[in-house]
Amino acid sequence: MPNDLDLKRLAWRAHHRGTKEADLMIGGFFDAHHAAWTTDDCALFSEMLHEQDVDIMSWALGTATPPERFAGPMIDALQKLDYIRIAK
């Protein structure tokens, strides 16, 4: 299990990307999925956060192929886009 401090750091990094769109997509993904993550999942997400926002968003939208090291369940969940809240 990841500890609370590590999760808080990931949450901050996920929600403070530099653009509103990236904050909503990447932060929303973190909010929706982090509770079920293992320590390895958190490490993978942390590694992903070192990538450019435009790349992460392209992987989520399916307009670019993610690097092999990220391929798997996390990218599959990212590509569902069911975690993005739409203001009404």
Side-chain angles (χ1 to χ4, degrees), residues 22-80:
D23 293 348
L24 290 172
M25 181 178 280
I26 299 167
F29 178 74
F30 173 84
D31 290 345
H33 294 281
H34 79 275
W37 288 348
T38 65
T39 302
D40 289 341
D41 293 330
C42 286
L44 181 64
F45 186 70
S46 179
E47 184 180 343
M48 189 183 302
L49 292 180
H50 289 288
E51 301 295 326
Q52 296 293 316
D53 294 345
V54 67
D55 293 332
I56 297 170
M57 295 172 73
S58 293
W59 304 335
L61 296 171
T63 58
T65 303
E68 189 63 34
R69 68 185 183 276
F70 296 126
M74 188 170 292
I75 289 293
D76 294 343
L78 183 70
Q79 291 176 335
K80 289 184 180 177

